[in-house]
Amino acid sequence: MSTSSNKSRGLHHRVSSLQDSGSLSRDNSKARKRTVSHYDAYTYALRVAYLSYLLQPRARRTQHVPAPQQPVQRSSSSINDLMKDFTLVRDSKSTRFPHGFMSELEKRLTGVLMGKEKSPEYSDSVVKRSFAAFYNAFVEPSFKKRMEKDRRVEDLVLIFYSNATKELQKGKMSGDDAWKLMVDRHVALFVRLISSTLKDHDWVRDRPDLTTRLSTLETKLLAHDQDLAAQSQRNGGAGGSTIEVIVPLTYEVKDMPQVQVVARAFGLTNTQVQSDINKNRPVWTEKGALEDLKTYQKYLNLNTRQTLRSDDFDYEEGYEAWRRAEGPDLSQMMLTIMQSNPELAKSTPGGSIPPLNAPFNGLSDRDSGYSDTSRKMSDHSENGSSYVIDSHIDLSTLDFNDDIPEPSVEAATAFTFIPPDPRSHYRLILKQLLTHDLQDNEQQPSEATSNTPSIKLLSKQSTELLIEICLRWRIPSFSRMVLFLDVIKEKYADQEIDLDTLDAAFIFAKEPPPESKRMSTLPMTASLFDRSKWTVADYALNTQILSSLHEALLRDLYNALQHCYESKPPNIGPLMYILENHIYEDPLFNKSPKDSALFTQQLQIGLAQKAEDLYQDFLQKEVPQPEESWEFFHIIQLGKAVLKLSERIQKRYKKNPEIMGASPLMILVETLLPMYAEDARDMAGRVLQLAQERGEEVAIQDGFDLYKEMVGIRQIHTDALPTVPFAFHIEDLLADFVWRWIRMTDEKIVDWVEQAIRHDQFSVRTEQDGQLATTDQRHSVSVIDIFRSFNQAIDQIVQLNWDDDLQYAKFMTALSRSVGMGIARYCEIVEQKFSREMDRLTPEQEAAANQTRQERWMQLAKDAWSNKDKIEPFHFFPESFVKLNNIEYATYQLDNLEHSVNVDACAEVIQKHAPPIMQRQRKANNYVFTIKIVEAEDLKACDMNGLSDPYVVLGDEYQKRLAKTRIIYGNLNPRWDETVDITTQGPLNIIATVWDWDTLGDHDCVGRTSIKLDPSHFSDYMPREYWLDLDTQGRLLLRVSMEGERDDIQFYFGKAFRNLKRTERDMTRKITDKLSAYIHHCLSRSALRSLLSRGISMSSVSSYFTRNRQLQAPLQALTQFDIANALKPLFAYFDANFFIMKQTLTDSAMVMVMTRLWKEVLVTVEGLLVPPLSDKTSQQRQLTQQELDVVFKWLQLLFEFFNAVDEETHEAYGVPTDVLKSPKYHDIQSLNFFYYESTENLIRTSERMASAAASRQQAQRNRLSAPASLSFGGAPGLVGLPSTRRSKSIMLSRNLGTMKKAKEEKRKEAQADPNDDMILRILRMRPEAERYLRDRSRQKERLAAAAAAEMIVRQSLSAGGGRMVGNLPRR
């Protein structure tokens, strides 16, 4: 048996138990049921309906009394004489009717015939006959055609006259001439109709003659009559008067409205009913009705069982109230019958009926069953009622106790109109009437209101018949309501009525109609809602009705909720409304909490089973049967079906989530989500297994789509079922798809970069040619494209909303490695293109390359003789500057990417889940060596001018080029300060070759040296400096440091940042190198000597050989103008190049280039003043005081030029002051204090500084006992030994913030730790200080060794990871 059936059986059992247990307030009250035949119900209903007809108020009608005939007097004028006014006028347009008149006249004639004409004179039947005769002739096509052509009014009048004469003459005697006068009247009416038509359409103004003639004709025709609408002119003009007479009864069914209602309800024809009435007319009389009332009154006074007794009521007050109302109502009904048939009064004893105006036991008229409103309704009923006074009178011959004997046969047949069992008969009649009215298609539903819907219940005629029956049979109002609800209950149980009708029935039975409206329901009394005045039987029956309806409604609610998960479920609103407003709110209904809990439990079980069945339907629909055809798509579709259904149910029951204690949404979720999670796990695992067996891979996008779907379902599962764990860990199952996608991205990322560069023209992105580009337009599309690709790659992972922090951090780490590879490749290609553009030959160099060897020597001799300088301005390409802008833009974009990825949080999560420090593998697979090519000393001269143009090439032992520096022109002590990273897995031999660049021919080798990069030698990860002797002469300074390449997101971002910054620095250096040659030329000793000699110079050849001699004293003092004028060529050169840069470079790139140029200026000025730092003496000589003053004045002028302060606003537009005043600038300024000091003083000062440095180092060594406060400071960089500072490690370059912080710390360290380097450089120009230089060098080596040892100890003490907190934030 189904769940629904079991539930229904349980409900019936509970209702039965409730009644059997005696929980009703009236325990032993039960109504004795008697069987009533269909014929008996019909017969007694027919009796009451027929009696209503007999007692109805007699109708009255008006009857015409004709006046005496008068002799007819008629004018002797013929119709032709009357029409002379028209016939004498021919072809006059003013007397013809207008076009369109015929159609309008036809409408007016039709209105007369249909009775729509407003004037009363046209409503007479004789007038209509005359107009009808004319209308038949008028509508003939030939006549209408002729009239529309001639348009003469006289033709219309003559035709009307002819037809009216023929019509009125019919049936008249030869001597009767009264009809002739009637013809004149009718013709006058026709003329008036024509005039009215002309006036209504405003045709009167155009035809005044026609209007005048029509008015004259009407006057002539009415010469013997006064008013066509007068009463005396009706009835054919015969006159007369009217009187009212009583219409006699016809005793025909067609005149009996309530009898017809009975016939229709019981399916009989009027003939059959007429036969029954005719057969029983002698018995069914007013006298019989009066005798019924007398007999009932006798039984009431005797307190017999033929009426209600006090035993039938639970309270004596109820019985007394009912009995008090019965007496007056019976007397009033008797008076009504006698008023209808006064003859009955003669046979009635005077004492048996009280006077009409006598008070009835002190009761007012409002205490009777009918109110004044009901009486007015009956008086104005279109069918009439049987009497004027409608009383709510109670009567019943029912017995309510089993021990009461059946009435005798004499008592049962004592009444003519009252049946033996009025209550049962009334119920059957009510049921019959209700069935008929519900099935009657002609009955219109009631109008809908704001509180009640449009319903179709009892008709007005049926209601009036039921009222009549209740009054005649003395059925109380509360019994009527209970019996009505009992019938409604039966109808609903048999599914003959719907919920709206059931609701309307409750309202129909319980709510009295407003006084202002016509009553169409049962009349109500004060006892209707006071249930203490009800009979015990009605109370018990009402309780049983509520219980049965509750059972039926719960059954229907259960069945309706079984469809709640369907797309169009049944509406349970009406069910819940009836339960809550009509069942539960009724005080007679006893609601059991135990029964409610049982229903809730059964409902939950049923809904859960429905949810399971629905999920099985989803499986059948979305998942194919053979496992081999399963795909992730099927799992996704199944999940979408589950979510779609859940969302629909959530929306459907948003306002009322629980129904009778059961939540359809929660039951659905609790059932479907765990089942789906388990199936999704099994299906996904099976799909992956089958793909692996076939040697295939599931598409990555399918895996991503499945993850997104599963994550959404898991979130809903967690919110709805917080205590139920999800079936499996989604991330572990689908993580491989992310790794595959990352590997695919890693393989494609370099190609993305190359494709972006290949399609880039490296031009500013202005909308129009010649337009000045804004800052945002000064980088090209390639860098935008690659970072768009990088962001899309990262967004692909971010949009997955991966819910495993450790896996997400590892994904981002792998992607950062790929991004770093892409950036490195971009930097490499862009720098190669940039180098080719910067290293191209000038036109003069190309011309020189085509010269013969003899021509080259001749050109060199000419240049030497004319002292011609070979400094030529370099022409920059805008594309070169755009490339520099791209690198700068990439740096900022990478910084944004680093923040959006939240690199530090990813690193913390990985470190949090990392094994303990002692269990980690310290050995790295790859090592990154950072080699900085600092400078060279005492190189071999390879050019004719005794100088070289050196650059360094680094290669491995297999002659593979690893790096190349820029070219330093005309210098035997060059300084490159360039850095390169070399990655290796083991020891690597590096060969460094110094080459001399030549414009013509092959480049010359200056010298070679080598160094072995062994990771075991750099296990302390401390930087070291090596002076490497060349195989020819001179030496090369390299600074080497090593870092273990780690699979760390911070390391990858740091490496990418360092690649960008180095590329940016190298490109900036290449730009400044093109300008540095002219800087060296303008700030050289030869330029200084030329200024001091004021234009007097030796021949070019002698100048070449005496270039380094001691300068002679000038002939006269130099002015400030002369000193500034010497720098004008340099400033003009700067302005010309800065103008070109300003057109393309961004503001920040422009400041960066100027800052680099300023450094070049400082290095050049420093080279003028002192030689480089070394432990050997130098051949360079000190400047004179005048030369020193000129140099410092030049430095001040250059400072002001690079600072570019506006004279009016005093705002700096160039390099900021704090950048210009760098540590080197301060070192140069400090030379003023020591430059001309004696050697002894300089040595003493150097020793004091050395002693202070040793004290600082000892203090740092003493702090080793407090590891928590260790700092990473150290001695300054030394020559030939390890350095303690690692300011440029990869981890310190992972974003712009750390790089800026490291640079600031370096600046503060340089300012906080003064050293004696400048003093030692001055001492190099003093031959007597050679021994001190060697001793000081050894001392610095010892200090550096101690600092290195200290740093190693610090690192070992401070090693370890920090504590991680929090979850991994997303972008």
Side-chain angles (χ1 to χ4, degrees), residues 677-708:
E678 295 176 0
D679 289 345
R681 175 197 61 198
D682 298 339
M683 290 178 63
R686 185 57 178 162
V687 169
L688 294 175
Q689 181 183 358
L690 291 174
Q692 184 178 5
E693 292 175 358
R694 292 193 296 262
E696 301 174 354
E697 287 186 342
V698 181
I700 294 177
Q701 189 59 44
D702 291 349
F704 287 173
D705 294 340
L706 177 61
Y707 179 79
K708 293 177 181 178

Side-chain angles (χ1 to χ4, degrees), residues 291-303 307 323 326-327 330-331 334 352-354 415:
E291 291 297 330
D292 282 356
L293 293 177
K294 291 179 181 180
T295 303
Y296 179 83
Q297 189 179 40
K298 181 180 65 174
Y299 287 152
L300 179 64
N301 293 332
L302 295 176
N303 196 22
T307 64
R323 184 178 177 82
E326 284 292 271
L330 290 174
S331 300
M334 292 178 188
S352 62
I353 302 176
F415 299 106

Side-chain angles (χ1 to χ4, degrees), residues 622-648:
E622 303 295 346
V623 181
Q625 290 298 327
E627 295 182 357
E628 290 74 14
S629 59
W630 284 358
E631 296 179 1
F632 283 176
F633 172 77
H634 300 130
I635 306 176
I636 294 173
Q637 291 301 112
L638 180 61
K640 287 183 177 179
V642 172
L643 288 184
K644 183 178 180 181
L645 176 62
S646 301
E647 291 172 357
R648 186 170 70 240

